[in-house]
Amino acid sequence: MALQILLADDEKDFVDTLAERLRIRDFSVRVVYNGLDAVAAVKESRPAVVILDLFMPGLPGDETLRQITALYHDLPIILLTGQAGVEESFASEELANCACLTKPVALSQLLEQIESMLQGKAGGDRHV
Amino acid sequence: MSDTTCLARLLSSAVHDLRNVLAVVRESSGLTADLLRLQEDVRKRDRMLAALSEVQAQVARGALLASAMDLLAQAGSAAEEGTEEEGCDLNQVCQLFCCMAQRLARASVMRLEHVAKDDQDIALGVPAVLAALLKVLDAAAGAGGRVTLRLSAAVRHKQAGVIVEIVDGDNAEAVSAALEPLLVRISGGLQKLLVWRRQGPLFFLPLAEERTS
C-alpha cells in the first residue's frame, strides 16, 4: 500500500508540482492549501507524514502544528518553509516529532528525511 | 521603527518569497526531468536533461545567496533588538561574505574562496566584520585584482580574525603590497598550523578578542 503523505502549502504552483513528483514515486499524496484544511485532513485520515508550510492564510502555521500534534502527538511532521530559523519560534517539546527544512529543498533530501523519520532516526540536517 | 529594522524586515520578507520562487523552479524543472526519464523516445532527451540539470545547479546557487541574505536580515533585526550582546559566528560571516561579494570580486578578475572551519564566536557584529572584509577586497581590487583571495576564520595570539591568503593570480605581488598596511603578514610558525595547502602570501585581519563560552 502506498505511503500516505499530506502536503499543506499555500504556494499552489510549488505544492501541486511536488505532489506530482511524489506520486510518480508511488506515494499517495493529498494536497491542501491552508492550515484549517490541513487539520481537517488529519482528523479525517491519519497520514504517515505531514509536510507543512508554516506561513499559510487562515490558521497560523504554529497553531496548525499544535492542533495536528494534539490529534497525534507521534505523527512525523516536516516543516518546509521559505523562512529560515523557524524552529526558534517553538519550544523544543513542540517539535519532538518534527524536522525543519528550508526551501528550495532537493527532492532526494526530502525523501531521505521522510525515510529517516519513519524509521524513527534523528536524521536530516535540522531534525529537532 | 529604525531604518535598520525596516530594511531587515523587508529583506527577510523578500528572501522568503525568493525561496518560494526557487522552490517552484526546482520542482518544475525536476518534474520535467522526471517525465523525460520516463520517455526514452524523446528527441534530444539527453540534451534536455543536461539543461534541466543546469537549472537545478542554478537553484542551488540561488539558495546559497538566499541563506546569505537571511543572515544579513537576522543581523539587522538583532542589532535593533539590542537584547543580545553583539557578536557573530566569524566562520559563517566569512562564508556569507564570499557568497555575497563574488560579483564585486569578479569585476576585478578576482575570486573569493572560503575555507570551512568550526564555529567561532566573536564579540563583534556582522556589519563590522563585513565592512572590514570589504575594505580588504577594495584594497586588492585597487591594486589591480587578478588574484584569488582565500578567507578563513582563525585565532592568532588570542585574537579572532580572518586569515587572508592570496592564491592563483599573476598580480599577487601588487596585491600583497596593497594589503600590507591593512593586515598583519603571517610568516613562519603559524603557517604550519594552517590546514590547507599553502600557495601564496598569508595575512591576518585582526577583528576582536576571541569569545569563549
Side-chain angles (χ1 to χ4, degrees):
Chain A
M1 191 177 150
L3 198 74
Q4 311 268 325
I5 295 178
L6 175 65
L7 272 178
D9 196 316
D10 65 320
E11 290 284 335
K12 197 171 182 302
D13 290 338
F14 164 72
V15 78
D16 287 348
T17 313
L18 176 59
E20 196 171 343
R21 296 191 75 194
L22 290 169
R23 287 186 190 115
I24 287 174
R25 287 160 178 81
D26 291 331
F27 290 97
S28 169
V29 185
R30 180 170 180 182
V31 177
V32 293
Y33 304 110
N34 62 63
L36 283 172
D37 286 349
V39 175
V42 173
K43 271 184 190 165
E44 194 179 301
S45 168
R46 178 187 162 133
V49 179
V50 177
I51 299 174
L52 180 68
D53 181 21
L54 277 181
F55 297 88
M56 292 185 288
L59 197 62
D62 54 349
E63 187 53 31
T64 305
L65 175 65
R66 284 175 192 123
Q67 290 195 21
I68 290 175
T69 50
L71 289 168
Y72 299 106
H73 73 279
D74 58 345
L75 179 57
I77 299 173
I78 296 173
L79 302 176
L80 180 58
T81 174
Q83 180 84 48
V86 289
E87 61 269 38
E88 289 159 16
S89 322
F90 294 92
S92 56
E93 61 269 20
E94 290 180 297
L95 298 175
N97 286 297
C98 293
C100 302
L101 294 174
T102 307
K103 290 177 186 172
V105 67
L107 186 63
S108 57
Q109 191 187 352
L110 185 62
L111 294 174
E112 277 173 23
Q113 188 66 68
I114 291 170
E115 190 183 347
S116 152
M117 294 182 87
L118 291 176
Q119 289 176 353
K121 291 189 298 188
D125 288 345
R126 301 167 70 187
H127 192 97
V128 286
Chain B
M1 187 192 307
S2 74
D3 291 351
T4 305
T5 307
C6 172
L7 290 174
R9 283 183 58 194
L10 290 175
L11 179 60
S12 178
S13 169
V15 174
H16 189 156
D17 258 348
L18 175 62
R19 285 185 183 282
N20 280 324
V21 170
L22 292 170
V24 172
V25 173
R26 171 163 271 175
E27 293 313 322
S28 297
S29 58
L31 176 61
T32 310
D34 287 349
L35 295 173
L36 274 173
R37 285 190 191 99
L38 293 173
Q39 298 196 345
E40 289 181 2
D41 58 342
V42 176
R43 201 168 154 262
K44 295 195 174 179
R45 177 175 172 267
D46 289 345
R47 179 66 190 95
M48 284 192 266
L49 285 170
L52 290 167
S53 174
E54 182 56 31
V55 173
Q56 295 281 328
Q58 293 302 317
V59 168
R61 186 177 166 202
L64 197 62
L65 281 166
S67 296
M69 287 189 274
D70 263 331
L71 195 62
L72 270 190
Q74 285 164 19
S77 301
E80 174 63 17
E81 284 166 12
T83 49
E84 292 178 15
E85 189 183 347
E86 193 174 41
C88 66
D89 171 6
L90 190 53
N91 181 53
Q92 193 180 27
V93 179
C94 281
Q95 187 179 20
L96 179 160
F97 178 78
C98 288
C99 179
M100 296 194 83
Q102 207 62 256
R103 169 60 59 186
L104 284 176
R106 272 205 295 274
S108 300
V109 201
M110 289 195 290
R111 260 170 42 84
L112 295 170
E113 291 179 1
H114 169 246
V115 181
K117 304 280 282 287
D118 292 337
D119 293 354
Q120 188 184 310
D121 292 332
I122 64 165
L124 194 64
V126 173
V129 175
L130 292 177
L133 290 172
L134 198 52
K135 206 171 168 184
V136 171
L137 180 65
D138 284 345
R146 303 198 314 277
V147 292
T148 294
L149 297 182
R150 189 176 286 165
L151 308 182
S152 170
V155 176
R156 185 172 187 256
H157 303 319
K158 296 185 178 177
Q159 190 158 40
V162 178
I163 301 278
V164 179
E165 182 184 4
I166 302 172
V167 289
D168 296 340
D170 61 5
N171 194 32
E173 206 169 306
V175 171
S176 287
L179 296 186
E180 197 88 55
L182 294 175
L183 310 175
V184 180
R185 187 183 274 272
I186 298 172
S187 56
L190 186 65
Q191 287 208 2
K192 292 173 188 166
L193 300 175
L194 301 174
V195 293
W196 65 84
R197 182 170 162 263
R198 293 176 298 283
Q199 293 179 315
L202 286 173
F203 294 89
F204 183 68
L205 170 64
L207 289 169
E209 293 297 311
E210 185 187 15
R211 183 187 275 182
T212 51
S213 54

